[in-house]
Amino acid sequence: DGGITQSPKYLFRKEGQNVTLSCEQNLNHDAMYWYRQDPGQGLRLIYYSQIVNDFQKGDIAEGYSVSREKKESFPLTVTSAQKNPTAFYLCASSAPGQRETQYFGPGTRLLVL
Amino acid sequence: QKEVEQDPGPLSVPEGAIVSLNCTYSNSAFQYFMWYRQYSRKGPELLMYTYSSGNKEDGRFTAQVDKSSKYISLFIRDSQPSDSATYLCAMSAGGGYQKVTFGTGTKLQVIP
């Protein structure tokens, strides 16, 4: 089955700790995205990557970092600089020429201890 | 003012009703319009994709775009309890990478 997987489903972060969220896709999509979803707010773009070894900041990149070493993988690190990390994090991907139609993974819920 | 406005609901309807979900937007450059369905604690699922103005039908779902009024709609006919979810509208200007802007979502509950 083709799709996007995210792990873990739930993640707990202690103060001052960096945590990494995993996102893998086997759709052969070149573009991948990270969004943050908070209650009452639309999806907000954190980072996106159109090709391997290249990525750009979205609207709310502060306190986050990413890497894109492989086409299939786009991990997101929530650093200790992100003071309000509690949210639902969604990874998405899209095919060339179809940037508007993004396909989402199941999400990771990050909670702060 | 937000670029995309969507009533958060909740919207409660009896099973079998016709549901109308709507979004308004302010950016006249938007050309691509999408509707996503999101079940609780799950990722959004792409339901409908429309380019420019007009209607698109897929089974019980119809997407309608009125660019002159900057207004898009999603109609659900013969609504089912399994349609209970949050519906997100999304839109983009297109052209290379263009950001997709999402609405905040409307929560729908279909009561058996």
Side-chain angles (χ1 to χ4, degrees), chain A residues 9-10 33 35 37 40-43 45 48 50 59 88 90 99-107 109, chain B residues 2 32 34 36 38 41-46 49 88 92-100 102-104:
Chain A
K9 189 173 181 179
Y10 295 96
Y33 315 83
Y35 290 92
Q37 188 175 36
Q41 299 199 41
L43 275 67
L45 183 65
Y48 66 97
Q50 296 192 75
D59 299 320
F88 191 45
L90 290 159
R99 292 285 180 262
E100 303 78 25
T101 50
Q102 298 181 8
Y103 296 87
F104 286 83
R109 189 164 299 276
Chain B
K2 290 182 181 178
Y32 298 88
M34 288 70 69
Y36 286 84
Q38 185 177 23
R41 303 181 188 275
K42 304 289 186 185
E45 170 195 7
L46 181 64
Y49 165 68
L88 306 167
S92 171
Y97 177 73
Q98 287 282 352
K99 174 184 167 182
V100 175
F102 289 84
T104 53

Side-chain angles (χ1 to χ4, degrees), chain B residues 22-77:
Chain B
N22 311 295
C23 286
T24 58
Y25 62 95
S26 58
N27 187 345
S28 58
F30 287 149
Q31 297 188 79
Y32 298 88
F33 304 92
M34 288 70 69
W35 285 97
Y36 286 84
R37 177 174 63 195
Q38 185 177 23
Y39 291 113
S40 181
R41 303 181 188 275
K42 304 289 186 185
E45 170 195 7
L46 181 64
L47 268 183
M48 300 286 283
Y49 165 68
T50 310
Y51 172 70
S52 195
S53 286
N55 292 0
K56 185 174 183 178
E57 189 174 321
D58 184 1
R60 297 185 295 113
F61 298 90
T62 299
Q64 198 170 78
V65 175
D66 182 351
K67 290 186 71 180
S68 63
S69 301
K70 296 190 180 69
Y71 188 88
I72 70 171
S73 300
L74 177 71
F75 298 96
I76 307 175
R77 290 183 298 281

Side-chain angles (χ1 to χ4, degrees), chain A residues 18-29:
Chain A
N18 293 351
V19 292
T20 298
L21 285 62
S22 169
C23 177
E24 304 274 335
Q25 56 96 2
N26 61 4
L27 299 167
N28 201 31
H29 287 172

Side-chain angles (χ1 to χ4, degrees), chain A residues 39-112:
Chain A
Q41 299 199 41
L43 275 67
R44 292 185 290 167
L45 183 65
I46 304 172
Y47 269 97
Y48 66 97
S49 168
Q50 296 192 75
I51 56 172
V52 174
N53 293 322
D54 187 52
F55 48 83
Q56 284 79 41
K57 293 181 179 180
D59 299 320
I60 56 166
E62 186 174 350
Y64 300 96
S65 66
V66 294
S67 62
R68 186 86 188 275
E69 297 177 1
K70 297 188 299 181
K71 186 177 183 178
E72 303 79 18
S73 178
F74 191 40
L76 173 75
T77 295
V78 184
T79 75
S80 57
Q82 173 49 245
K83 298 306 178 190
N84 185 24
T86 297
F88 191 45
Y89 290 87
L90 290 159
C91 179
S93 68
S94 65
Q98 298 179 7
R99 292 285 180 262
E100 303 78 25
T101 50
Q102 298 181 8
Y103 296 87
F104 286 83
T108 292
R109 189 164 299 276
L110 176 60
L111 300 166
V112 177

